[in-house]
């Protein structure tokens, strides 16, 4: 789905972005609701400051109230290991806002990649919460020449009619895009999505990939073939 947005974006370059797990749903410019096999639900939310994905399983409520947000280094708690960074702060996860175990207890998750006021910007290159079954990666590309425009044009064409995607185009430049796409063919028991954040004014394209492994009791029922002797 391709939508034109009326509100300018708040984040203006890759260095403005941070990752946060848990916490409230933030005001959205556009929302797309998806239901996956097994009753797993996703809300793809375009923010003025970037994006938010809310994952809800059939037996749990969204963990939006969130509890403590940790600003810690590698392995601070719960097996959460942030590695590297693509934001302004750099370093090995020194300012990565992480809520450990976010995908563990209820199987629900709120992922926000955005400009977060009052928080030092930092987007970890890799974050793996082994106990919670959450894996996140991010990278920043600075395409040569007019390659950014070519990439964004191809992305818009690819995702415009995708029933599992949401693409928001911000005013002023057709390449100012935030896009989210869920992978409908993820392995059983896994929910995965990708996002793209394009900043034509700085010639940057931020790519993120997320994969969440669901607890066994919240996976889609498996079909069985019975053989009669």
């Amino acid at each position: 789905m391709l939508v034109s947005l009326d509100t300018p974006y708040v984040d203006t370059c890759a260095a403005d972005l941070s990752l946060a797990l848990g916490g409230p749903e933030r005001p959205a410019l556009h929302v797309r609701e998806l239901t996956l096999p097994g009753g797993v639900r996703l809300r793809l939310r375009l923010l003025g400051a970037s994006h938010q994905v809310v994952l809800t399983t059939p037996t749990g409520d969204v963990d939006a109230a969130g509890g403590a947000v940790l600003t810690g280094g590698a392995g601070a708690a719960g097996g959460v290991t942030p590695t590297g960074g693509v934001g302004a702060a750099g370093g090995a996860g020194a300012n990565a806002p992480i809520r450990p175990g976010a995908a563990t207890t209820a199987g629900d998750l709120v992922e926000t990649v955005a400009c977060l006021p009052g928080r030092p910007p930092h987007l970890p290159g890799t974050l793996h919460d082994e106990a919670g079954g959450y894996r996140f990666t991010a990278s920043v590309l600075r395409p040569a020449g007019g390659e950014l425009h070519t990439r964004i044009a191809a992305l818009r064409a690819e995702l415009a009619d995708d029933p599992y995607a949401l693409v928001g185009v911000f005013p002023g430049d057709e390449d100012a895009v935030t896009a989210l796409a869920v992978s409908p063919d993820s392995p059983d028991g896994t929910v995965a999505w990708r996002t793209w954040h394009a900043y034509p004014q700085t010639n940057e394209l931020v790519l993120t990939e997320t994969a969440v492994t669901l607890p066994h009791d919240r996976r889609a029922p498996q079909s069985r073939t019975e053989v009669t002797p």
Side-chain angles (χ1 to χ4, degrees):
M1 174 185 288
L2 182 67
V3 296
S4 296
L5 305 172
D6 295 328
T7 305
Y9 45 57
V10 175
D11 53 315
T12 57
C13 64
D16 289 339
L17 297 175
S18 293
L19 168 68
L21 300 179
E25 294 188 26
R26 296 174 178 271
L29 304 178
H30 200 91
V31 179
R32 183 160 202 186
E33 303 264 359
L34 300 175
T35 300
L36 305 182
V40 174
R41 291 182 290 125
L42 283 166
R43 284 198 294 282
L44 309 182
R45 313 181 79 251
L46 292 174
L47 312 180
S50 218
H51 88 259
Q52 193 168 52
V53 176
V54 180
L55 165 66
T56 308
T57 59
T59 54
D61 296 324
V62 174
D63 190 5
V69 173
L70 217 266
T71 331
V80 181
T81 307
T83 306
V86 298
N95 294 302
I98 306 302
R99 183 172 179 269
T104 303
T105 306
D108 300 329
L109 176 72
V110 180
E111 174 192 275
T112 305
V113 173
C115 173
L116 301 173
R119 187 174 301 173
H122 180 80
L123 191 63
T126 300
L127 172 66
H128 185 198
D129 179 357
E130 185 173 356
Y134 177 85
R135 181 178 288 275
F136 173 90
T137 62
S139 59
V140 178
L141 304 181
R142 295 174 178 86
E147 187 182 347
L148 178 66
H149 176 76
T150 301
R151 282 175 172 263
I152 297 306
L155 181 70
R156 289 173 55 159
E158 177 186 356
L159 300 183
D161 298 320
D162 188 332
Y164 295 96
L166 177 59
V167 182
V169 183
F170 288 88
D173 193 323
E174 63 180 0
D175 294 335
V177 162
T178 296
L180 306 91
V182 177
S183 302
D185 55 353
S186 299
D188 178 60
T190 303
V191 180
W193 58 87
R194 295 180 296 161
T195 75
W196 298 259
H197 309 76
Y199 303 101
Q201 72 277 20
T202 56
N203 190 45
E204 293 177 311
L205 179 60
V206 181
L207 311 176
T208 79
E209 294 191 35
T210 300
V212 180
T213 301
L214 302 178
H216 285 279
D217 60 345
R218 296 194 176 114
R219 300 182 181 185
Q222 296 298 297
S223 59
R224 296 186 301 173
T225 301
E226 296 185 6
V227 178
T228 303

